Amino acid sequence: MIKEAITMHVTIIGTGRMARGISTRLLAGGNHVTLVGHKPGEAEALAEELKGTSKGGSISVGKVGKISGEVVFLAVPFGAVESIAKQYGEALAGKILVDITNPIVYQTMESIFPGSSGAEAIVKLIPESTRLVKAFNTTFAGTLLSGKVAGLPLDVFMAGDDVDAKAKITQLIEAGGLIAIDVGPLIRVRQLEAMGLLHIASQQLRNTGYMSAIKMVA
Ligand SMILES: NC(=O)c1ccc[n+]([C@@H]2O[C@H](COP(=O)([O-])OP(=O)(O)OC[C@H]3O[C@@H](n4cnc5c(N)ncnc54)[C@H](OP(=O)(O)O)[C@@H]3O)[C@@H](O)[C@H]2O)c1
């Protein structure tokens, strides 16, 4: 029996490279995307650029501090997260918050949170009812445009404590032609953030122009 695809309404905070990549995959899955920028014109420009790529989904521009739909992606530098958590406050209550950030000190290529993780720090900043899922921090923005590297669909590793929230993010990932790999509860984010850091550091050494992917094969 063919499963009917369930489309979702997703807000993306940020209008940079990852916002473009993730929006492209969400639109390919027929979802409805609302982009929120923090400087005038940026969200409008990205929405205009991506309009033509929408396959059954739609893209629009939202207002700062407002969330449309159940799922919201934080497509911003880790350093911006605290102020965004304050700015959105209770608007995040009951939502699924997807943290894609890599909290790295780029001068030394070390984690900002040795022995812990950025996601665990974010949980302390958001309403108790917000369900955090870490995902997409190991996939490079440029590779999300086609969703493939070397002809193979990208693996999107994710972790979080809420099983229902991870099931919904799995649907979004799979509808966009990617493979979702649930690696377990929030504590596993420590390893996912280390994977993200290692991927960045190793692609720099191999000079692959941020167009590589981490793949699990069996
Ligand atoms: N690039 C990748 O391949 C990749 C892969 C995995 C994970 N990530 C993670 O994804 C996140 C985004 O990376 P990116 O490459 O997309 O970065 P980017 O291209 O620099 O985009 C960042 C976006 O965040 C916006 N922003 C910054 N401060 C903000 C604030 N206070 N409120 C609202 N928006 C704010 C920026 O707007 P302005 O430009 O107007 O300031 C920009 O639209 C980072 O945490 C990164 O670690 C990136």
Side-chain angles (χ1 to χ4, degrees):
M1 198 170 66
I2 297 170
K3 260 207 269 173
E4 204 182 317
I6 297 164
T7 58
M8 285 180 235
H9 199 144
V10 179
T11 294
I12 299 186
I13 302 173
T15 57
R17 290 162 292 187
M18 284 300 277
R20 177 181 286 103
I22 290 169
S23 296
T24 302
R25 300 273 44 91
L26 293 178
L27 291 171
N31 297 288
H32 305 286
V33 176
T34 298
L35 293 172
V36 185
H38 71 141
K39 291 183 191 152
E42 286 181 339
E44 287 80 358
L46 184 57
E48 191 57 35
E49 178 191 320
L50 294 176
K51 237 189 225 162
T53 68
S54 174
K55 291 183 185 141
S58 66
I59 187 152
S60 59
V61 173
K63 285 198 169 71
V64 173
K66 290 225 161 76
I67 307 284
S68 306
E70 191 188 0
V71 179
V72 53
F73 278 75
L74 276 177
V76 298
F78 182 80
V81 170
E82 188 169 352
S83 67
I84 288 172
K86 281 194 189 127
Q87 198 171 36
Y88 284 75
E90 283 305 307
L92 293 169
K95 307 290 182 187
I96 299 171
L97 181 68
V98 186
D99 166 29
I100 69 164
T101 65
N102 277 310
I104 296 171
V105 183
Y106 282 94
Q107 292 85 342
T108 56
M109 286 307 284
E110 297 287 343
S111 168
I112 296 175
F113 300 97
S116 184
S117 68
E120 287 164 274
I122 293 173
V123 165
K124 295 181 186 141
L125 302 171
I126 56 180
E128 212 177 320
S129 61
T130 307
R131 296 170 291 160
L132 187 138
V133 176
K134 186 91 187 187
F136 287 95
N137 75 299
T138 59
T139 53
F140 289 140
T143 66
L144 285 164
L145 298 177
S146 72
K148 289 181 179 170
V149 168
L152 298 172
L154 299 180
D155 286 350
V156 181
F157 296 88
M158 66 174 171
D161 285 340
D162 192 290
V163 172
D164 174 63
K166 286 191 288 188
K168 291 212 164 99
I169 302 309
T170 296
Q171 279 178 17
L172 285 176
I173 290 167
E174 290 178 349
L178 313 176
I179 295 171
I181 301 185
D182 180 357
V183 299
L186 187 67
I187 195 94
R188 288 278 83 79
V189 169
R190 296 175 184 189
Q191 288 76 42
L192 283 190
E193 291 184 3
M195 260 170 88
L197 190 154
L198 192 65
H199 195 199
I200 294 167
S202 53
Q203 87 73 38
Q204 284 167 352
L205 296 170
R206 290 171 63 91
N207 202 22
T208 45
Y210 288 93
M211 288 305 286
S212 53
I214 302 175
K215 186 90 194 139
M216 180 179 267
V217 288

